[in-house]
Amino acid sequence: MRSLRTLVAGLAVLLLPSIALRAEGPKPSSPLRLIPAEADLLLEVPDPGRLARQPGRFPLAAQLQALPVVQEQMRSTAGRRGQQLLAYLEKSLGAKWPELLDRLAGGGVTLATKIGSGTQPALLVVQGKDERLMERFVTWAIGLIEGELARQESSDRVTTMMHEGVTVHRIGKELLVARLGAALVVSNHKDALARAIALHLGKRSDSLATNEAFRQSRKHLPEAPLATGWLNLKPIESSPEGKELYRSPRDNNLLTILFGGYLAAFGRAPALTAALCEERDGVAFRLHTAVDPDQLGPDRNLHLPPAKEVGGRPLLTPAGTIYSSSFYLDVARLWRDREALFPARQASDLANFDKNSGRVLAGTRLSTLLESAGPYHRLVVANPSARGYKRELRSRYPAFAFVTELRQPETFGKAMNTLLRTAAVASSVQYHLKLVEETHHGHDLVAYRFDESKVVKADVDEVRFNFSPCFARVGNQFLFCSTIELGRELIDLLVAEQASPPKGQPAAVFDRLSSAGFAAFLRDQADALVMQTILDRAVPPDQARAQVDQFLRLLAGAGSLERQTILDPTGLRFEMRLRLRTR
Amino acid sequence: MTDASKIDPRWAWQPYRPSAEAPWNLRRAGHLYRRATFGATLADLESAVRNGPDRTVAALLAGGDEADLDRRMAPLADTLARTNNAAALRAWWLTRMLYSPHPLREKLTLFWHNHFATSNAKVQNTRLMLGQYHLLRTHALGNFAELLRQMSYDPAMVVWLDGKGSKKGSPNENYARELMELFSLGIGHYTEHDIRQAARAFTGWDVVGREAVFNPRDHDAGEKTVLGQCGAWKPDDVVRICLEQPACAAFIAGKLFRFLVSDTVAPTRELLAPLAESFRKSGYDFAVLVRTVLRSNLFFSEMVYRTRIKSPVDFALGTVRALEGTIGTTQLAAALEQLGQNVFNPPSVKGWDGGPVWLNGQTLLYRQNLALAFCTTEDPRFGAGVDPAALARKHRVTGDEAVVDFFLRLLLQGDVPAESRQRLLAYAGKAHAAKVPPYWTEQDAADHRVRTLCHLVLTLPEYQLD
């Protein structure tokens, strides 16, 4: 049955190749008309040809195809078989695959299922534009599957039956296939297929397309998406796991601290819509939940800014940035709203801990630290533009920094200064750490360097020389950084930022991964990639190095990946944007 | 099962001389390569037949020049140590096993790995595991006394058997116990008192970074009585005392007997005595012991021929080497874990039990699936790295009968019941009539038949035997 699944999957893939001709003629019926209203999850590709053309917009696709590992796959027996099957399909149906794709699936492809435990009914609808060609395709595919089952001496067979005057093919015990006009319908459940047939014949009219909740949520979809998704959140909310996840306060404090605000939004939303969209310089993936921002409960204040407040500060992007993030997390709420956020026992434990917390926090109470910190934070990971040690390192790691905006800069700065200096003294003897204080751009940078003349046997690879931890305060921004060099660069950026009025951006979470920065980071780890290439694929060392180099060059010029989470009056929106170099 | 008491020890360890009853042929060459290496190509086997047993064994003991392999593998070892990549560690060793020009040395390294069974599951440090691997490989055909001595300070061993943290006043007994029970003497040749006393001698060691470090303050420098000898013993002294015991040489000889000769024949003390004697007299030169065994009458006798179950490593690597494949070893390591032999991760201090334990309903199925993955060229783990059809073409083998005989000769030296060969021929005849997908070429169909025949040979019961 595994081979059969592979063949069926192969046939499905044949319908989704990479370039297609533009559809001409009247728009065919939507495949949504055949999806029963009970569906909880829907994935739809309105125009498979358009989706398949996307990789062709970017040089990256051709560069990826030129990689030896991809070439190897294309030349492999399985790759060659796929190409042979495609050629056979084209020959049998008398057209090249881009045209076949348009005529057989140009009306859209939709996959729908229910949510629940065990195997749920699923329904795939492929809406063609050419009924006669679809008929020939079904005959061809069924013949191919029958031949393959016979060749494998499988006990599974293809049988044919009639339902409401429609010919239904059963493949093995699991799959049912029917052609409804120019549409191909595949299901794993007879009732689901029967419902699709009834909708097709007009014996029922309750398709998902007529479902009001579904229609409402689709209003939030962007124009002309490449693919869409829809998830009915009600079954998840009403499940025991969902109830535990969404209730407030929940028992899992870590979930509350990390995702409380977002869980509050998902727990109150009727549905989640998703869309994949074409953009000028890439593609964007968007998730949207329609919720009222004022109805999100206490968790909201932890992760999502109040109305009319900015979501976060601008990204910090020093030279060599790999990853930069700006996010909203109001840690003061952990203390102020503890009784609403956490169960009574934990809230009381936190209060008790706070009373004696000065003992472990160098004289400062936890509540003081939390309340003096602000809600805007930034994180940066960057390839060092300069190394602070003379030693040539074999294990190189990027520098990183955390920058937090303070409500009470003086209080927080003083407390943190004492706390960090105490911690540094404790570890300075074992690791030969020396205090180095300097003033940069008028700001005190308190830093620590490892003594290069000393040997630390426990640090075999001398990883410590990747670090020179430091901290500084620039106005209301407090900076913790893994290297002095990055610390200086960030002080420069923060000083420049403070010279103009504070800016903001709407996203509560905004981050960016740069492929150039990431490639430079991987170049520092090239030995590990070469090793893996040799061990995985038995490639000679010089070839492995050349292949890794080719991949890193490709990655360096690829583009960037951005994510944003925005709360606005329509609800909570999550966007992921892949920006690629275009032709 | 052979009664070992009926075997004449003098005959057993005398060098094998080919005769009309016991001719030197492909069958015996195959036996030698299966036991002493990780399998052979047809060229290896034919060369062995031409060269005779003495020259073949001598060549295996001498091995080929490993400089090139060492040069290619050293940077990988350095990288995987720096990255503490446990999965790559396994793959790294399998690569050495698969492509080493000195396979006997690599196989004996595996023997010692099973003897001093240290697992990275606890050590959690690929650098230390590599260090131990190098120690084992250095002495794989060298001096056992030196290996045993150095093993007592090996950082991976110090972590594995809790030498780290063993201090005066609270000595940990694990290493002292295994030194006597599993590494040198065997049960019955020491007492609990000996273990407690010896454990005091091993106190004071720690592991810092890549080194085992001695802290005199934590060492119990008092007098100890170990196996009847009294003194302020340190680790070297305890190892020396163990090596001085008559049981030691016999214990190691017995272990090698089970590895190279038979794990179904239980050797008597009399049978092992000549081996143990010469081993001891050589000053624990392991190469002397191995040479004696590999050249012996007993090793080439019918009593031990195909009486062992192949270990997963022997099954998989033997197949790839015989089929002249070139594959990556990361996925191979994962497949071997499924089959029950996860190198660098033996299941306990006793190592792998081996023998019949290697095979059960599940592992047999996994073996058949792995053989299929090697043969089809369609499995994404190995791709076309192994291709029986290409190998048959390389050897200009065409026609069903020739193909069947080629694989039987290569993989089983033609030594299968006539019915098995007939069944393979019957399948080959039937396969011509079988339908193939309409988009396949004639060459696709022909290659598919060859690959299927090879897979069928790999699933014969005889192929599971060593």
Side-chain angles (χ1 to χ4, degrees):
Chain A
M1 207 58 195
R2 187 170 158 258
S3 299
L4 177 60
R5 282 203 195 101
T6 308
L7 182 65
V8 172
L11 291 172
V13 167
L14 285 180
L15 294 172
L16 295 169
S18 68
I19 303 169
L21 301 178
R22 177 133 326 252
E24 297 293 343
K27 193 168 166 53
S29 314
S30 163
L32 283 178
R33 76 189 194 285
L34 301 177
I35 303 296
E38 294 91 334
D40 291 323
L41 172 67
L42 180 95
L43 299 172
E44 186 187 19
V45 180
D47 182 353
R50 184 166 159 247
L51 179 64
R53 281 193 296 276
Q54 289 303 309
R57 294 172 53 214
F58 310 105
L60 183 66
Q63 289 166 348
L64 278 171
Q65 279 189 3
L67 288 178
V69 64
V70 178
Q71 290 281 312
E72 216 170 81
Q73 289 304 312
M74 288 166 76
R75 283 196 306 268
S76 70
T77 306
R80 213 163 43 78
R81 295 259 193 274
Q83 290 161 30
Q84 287 173 314
L85 177 61
L86 179 62
Y88 179 60
L89 171 73
E90 290 178 338
K91 193 177 164 195
S92 302
L93 298 189
K96 289 290 176 192
W97 63 263
E99 184 185 339
L100 290 176
L101 178 65
D102 186 52
R103 287 163 67 188
L104 290 172
V109 177
T110 302
L111 176 69
T113 187
K114 288 282 294 174
I115 289 177
S117 56
T119 306
Q120 294 295 315
L123 193 68
L124 172 74
V125 180
V126 181
Q127 181 62 56
K129 294 176 175 175
D130 184 335
E131 185 172 345
R132 291 187 62 184
L133 186 69
M134 181 60 87
E135 187 178 4
R136 284 174 60 205
F137 173 74
V138 171
T139 307
W140 175 88
I142 293 295
L144 195 71
I145 290 166
E146 277 177 330
E148 189 60 14
L149 290 173
R151 188 177 75 83
Q152 292 177 14
E153 298 176 359
S154 167
S155 57
D156 288 320
R157 291 280 177 272
V158 178
T159 53
T160 302
M161 65 197 98
M162 298 299 286
H163 179 83
E164 302 275 359
V166 173
T167 305
V168 176
H169 307 279
R170 180 187 284 275
I171 304 169
K173 297 176 190 68
E174 298 172 18
L175 279 180
L176 295 158
V177 178
R179 183 183 61 78
L180 304 176
L184 174 71
V185 183
V186 182
S187 181
N188 62 344
H189 200 281
K190 62 179 174 35
D191 293 343
L193 186 74
R195 290 288 299 276
I197 291 173
L199 286 164
H200 171 69
L201 297 175
K203 296 189 174 179
R204 298 184 70 127
S205 57
D206 51 343
S207 77
L208 191 62
T210 63
N211 180 319
E212 188 51 29
F214 174 74
R215 288 159 67 102
Q216 285 301 321
S217 66
R218 302 264 288 186
K219 283 183 182 167
H220 299 291
L221 285 176
E223 222 174 285
L226 293 166
T228 68
W230 173 80
L231 175 65
N232 180 7
L233 290 173
K234 290 296 170 198
I236 299 173
E237 284 166 29
S238 55
S239 69
E241 296 83 5
K243 281 179 183 163
E244 172 56 30
L245 192 65
Y246 296 138
R247 82 185 162 88
S248 181
R250 65 183 64 76
D251 290 336
N252 190 329
N253 297 335
L254 190 63
L255 271 181
T256 300
I257 294 167
L258 294 177
F259 310 111
Y262 307 107
L263 291 173
F266 283 115
R268 286 163 177 84
L272 182 70
T273 54
L276 183 70
C277 307
E278 179 178 335
E279 297 205 334
R280 190 184 55 79
D281 59 349
V283 287
F285 176 71
R286 293 176 188 162
L287 284 175
H288 183 269
T289 56
V291 284
D292 181 348
D294 296 330
Q295 302 297 316
L296 294 183
D299 287 353
R300 171 239 160 98
N301 298 328
L302 204 49
H303 293 101
L304 299 165
K308 294 177 185 168
E309 292 261 336
V310 294
R313 298 297 174 219
L315 293 180
L316 289 167
T317 51
T321 298
I322 301 170
Y323 173 78
S324 186
S325 173
S326 170
F327 60 96
Y328 186 95
L329 174 65
D330 193 351
V331 290
R333 296 280 181 179
L334 292 173
W335 175 250
R336 258 185 265 152
D337 299 347
R338 62 188 180 279
E339 279 162 9
L341 290 170
F342 306 122
R345 175 77 185 271
Q346 274 95 330
S348 152
D349 287 350
L350 183 62
N352 288 333
F353 172 76
D354 181 63
K355 284 176 194 159
N356 300 310
S357 58
R359 285 183 202 163
V360 288
L361 296 175
T364 309
R365 285 175 70 154
L366 177 67
S367 53
T368 308
L369 277 179
L370 292 175
E371 293 208 282
S372 56
Y376 298 114
H377 314 279
R378 287 176 282 185
L379 193 67
V380 184
V381 182
N383 295 297
S385 49
R387 297 270 175 192
Y389 295 94
K390 291 176 190 156
R391 197 161 302 229
E392 187 57 37
L393 286 180
R394 293 168 68 232
S395 296
R396 289 167 167 241
Y397 296 98
F400 53 88
F402 177 68
V403 180
T404 186
E405 188 168 304
L406 309 173
R407 283 195 173 97
Q408 299 163 34
E410 289 298 329
T411 310
F412 187 92
K414 205 176 281 178
M416 200 48 79
N417 198 329
T418 311
L419 183 61
L420 293 175
R421 282 175 189 266
T422 308
V425 167
S427 56
S428 63
V429 177
Q430 191 180 358
Y431 295 103
H432 308 291
L433 209 52
K434 284 200 261 183
L435 174 67
V436 188
E437 287 189 86
E438 65 178 50
T439 304
H440 186 76
H441 247 127
H443 297 279
D444 292 338
L445 183 66
V446 182
Y448 297 86
R449 277 205 193 277
F450 293 98
D451 186 342
E452 287 191 81
S453 66
K454 296 284 194 301
V455 173
V456 176
K457 276 188 175 177
D459 183 17
V460 178
D461 297 307
E462 300 187 326
V463 170
R464 66 189 182 282
F465 295 124
N466 284 283
F467 304 101
S468 46
C470 61
F471 62 92
R473 183 165 71 81
V474 181
N476 66 345
Q477 304 286 320
F478 200 92
L479 157 75
F480 307 85
C481 193
S482 72
T483 69
I484 297 172
E485 292 70 32
L486 181 61
R488 290 178 192 137
E489 286 187 63
L490 290 176
I491 288 175
D492 292 344
L493 291 175
L494 292 171
V495 167
E497 192 179 275
Q498 296 198 342
S500 54
K503 288 177 190 165
Q505 40 82 26
V509 178
F510 179 29
D511 59 10
R512 182 186 298 145
L513 178 69
S514 150
S515 78
F518 191 53
F521 160 70
L522 287 180
R523 202 165 279 288
D524 279 343
Q525 320 297 322
D527 285 349
L529 297 177
V530 170
M531 175 190 74
Q532 211 59 59
T533 305
I534 293 170
L535 296 178
D536 287 355
R537 296 172 31 233
V539 178
D542 51 341
Q543 283 181 34
R545 198 159 283 282
Q547 290 183 15
V548 167
D549 190 55
Q550 185 182 358
F551 169 71
L552 293 179
R553 273 186 281 119
L554 179 156
L555 184 64
S560 64
L561 181 69
E562 286 179 3
R563 293 184 310 173
Q564 291 191 69
T565 306
I566 299 168
L567 182 69
D568 65 20
T570 71
L572 188 67
R573 196 166 81 238
F574 169 83
E575 296 183 351
M576 189 156 71
R577 190 165 279 108
L578 184 62
R579 294 191 190 282
L580 298 169
R581 212 154 42 82
T582 49
R583 288 186 195 282
Chain B
M1 187 189 285
T2 303
D3 180 357
S5 66
K6 291 183 181 159
I7 301 171
D8 175 2
R10 276 189 310 173
W11 167 85
W13 306 118
Q14 274 173 357
Y16 155 73
R17 295 280 165 249
S19 64
E21 296 77 39
W24 175 246
N25 52 18
L26 206 68
R27 190 170 171 270
R28 283 194 166 77
H31 171 74
L32 173 62
Y33 268 89
R34 281 197 302 276
R35 297 287 173 95
T37 75
F38 298 105
T41 63
L42 198 56
D44 291 333
L45 295 175
E46 287 171 344
S47 166
V49 172
R50 278 196 304 277
N51 292 335
D54 287 354
R55 277 180 64 190
T56 305
V57 170
L60 286 176
L61 281 161
D65 183 2
E66 296 179 281
D68 184 50
L69 181 70
D70 289 345
R71 202 167 38 247
R72 283 187 285 126
M73 299 304 284
L76 306 192
D78 180 63
T79 304
L80 73 87
R82 273 192 291 120
T83 52
N84 199 22
N85 187 332
L89 176 71
R90 305 184 306 179
W92 181 87
W93 191 7
L94 291 173
T95 298
R96 283 205 69 107
M97 290 184 201
L98 203 46
Y99 305 113
S100 173
H102 199 334
L104 173 61
R105 188 177 180 192
E106 216 61 56
K107 184 134 186 182
L108 291 173
T109 307
L110 182 60
F111 165 79
W112 288 120
H113 174 50
N114 195 36
H115 182 77
F116 291 107
T118 304
S119 174
N120 195 38
K122 177 172 175 180
V123 178
Q124 294 283 310
N125 187 320
T126 56
R127 176 174 277 119
L128 301 190
M129 294 304 292
L130 270 170
Q132 189 180 84
Y133 162 83
H134 284 301
L135 176 63
L136 297 174
R137 183 164 157 270
T138 301
H139 297 285
L141 273 164
N143 189 278
F144 170 68
E146 186 57 19
L147 173 59
L148 191 61
R149 191 186 71 77
Q150 290 193 30
M151 189 55 75
S152 303
Y153 311 105
D154 174 68
M157 182 59 83
V158 172
V159 175
W160 171 240
L161 288 180
D162 306 305
K164 186 178 164 70
S166 178
K167 292 177 183 173
K168 180 182 179 180
S170 59
N172 188 296
E173 294 174 6
N174 285 353
Y175 184 73
R177 180 179 303 281
E178 304 314 352
L179 170 69
M180 293 183 190
E181 182 183 330
L182 299 173
F183 302 161
S184 65
L185 302 176
I187 292 173
H189 298 285
Y190 59 87
T191 64
E192 285 297 312
H193 177 73
D194 291 323
I195 289 171
R196 283 196 292 275
Q197 293 288 298
R200 293 171 53 209
F202 290 105
T203 51
W205 286 88
D206 194 4
V207 174
V208 181
R210 70 175 87 198
E211 293 170 22
V213 178
F214 183 62
N215 297 320
R217 275 183 311 180
D218 294 331
H219 176 66
D220 182 342
E223 200 163 88
K224 303 111 185 166
T225 304
V226 178
L227 295 163
Q229 297 192 34
C230 192
W233 306 132
K234 288 193 164 183
D236 281 1
D237 300 309
V238 176
V239 170
R240 173 185 54 76
I241 291 167
C242 288
L243 289 164
E244 285 169 5
Q245 306 302 307
C248 182
F251 180 73
I252 298 302
K255 200 107 186 233
L256 186 69
F257 180 94
R258 281 190 293 281
F259 186 72
L260 285 181
V261 183
S262 175
D263 55 12
T264 52
V265 175
T268 59
R269 198 186 324 175
E270 290 72 26
L271 181 61
L272 292 177
L275 279 184
E277 183 64 16
S278 68
F279 185 38
R280 197 178 158 106
K281 273 188 180 164
S282 72
Y284 288 106
D285 184 340
F286 198 61
V288 169
L289 187 62
V290 172
R291 185 187 304 120
T292 306
V293 170
L294 288 182
R295 291 180 59 186
S296 69
N297 279 320
L298 185 59
F299 179 77
F300 285 110
S301 73
E302 293 300 327
M303 277 182 277
V304 300
Y305 179 77
R306 277 196 193 151
T307 53
R308 287 159 43 106
I309 306 286
K310 273 181 186 164
S311 73
V313 165
D314 286 329
F315 173 80
L317 270 59
T319 305
V320 176
R321 282 177 77 112
L323 295 173
E324 301 179 29
T326 305
I327 60 165
T329 46
T330 308
Q331 291 296 330
L332 183 64
L336 286 172
E337 186 178 358
Q338 272 195 328
L339 295 182
Q341 195 169 21
N342 188 9
V343 294
F344 283 118
N345 293 273
S348 72
V349 286
K350 290 180 181 170
W352 291 279
D353 289 332
V357 177
W358 288 130
L359 279 189
N360 57 43
Q362 193 178 41
T363 57
L364 186 61
L365 183 65
Y366 286 153
R367 282 188 183 211
Q368 295 190 354
N369 288 341
L370 184 60
L372 184 66
F374 286 149
C375 290
T376 59
T377 72
E378 290 177 29
D379 191 287
R381 290 174 295 172
F382 309 113
V386 183
D387 185 356
L391 185 70
R393 273 199 294 280
K394 179 185 162 189
H395 287 266
R396 301 175 195 287
V397 179
T398 51
D400 294 344
E401 196 162 350
V403 167
V404 167
D405 287 341
F406 171 72
F407 286 120
L408 286 177
R409 185 174 161 79
L410 170 65
L411 299 165
L412 290 159
Q413 292 75 57
D415 192 15
V416 288
E419 307 84 70
S420 299
R421 181 174 178 275
Q422 281 308 318
R423 275 205 306 276
L424 291 167
L425 286 172
Y427 167 81
K430 213 174 101 183
H432 281 281
K435 277 192 170 179
V436 295
Y439 48 90
W440 281 18
T441 63
E442 278 184 30
Q443 187 64 52
D444 288 338
D447 285 352
H448 178 71
R449 284 194 297 275
V450 172
R451 290 168 187 149
T452 307
L453 278 172
C454 181
H455 177 232
L456 290 174
V457 172
L458 295 177
T459 57
L460 287 174
E462 290 83 359
Y463 192 72
Q464 304 306 321
L465 298 175
D466 197 7

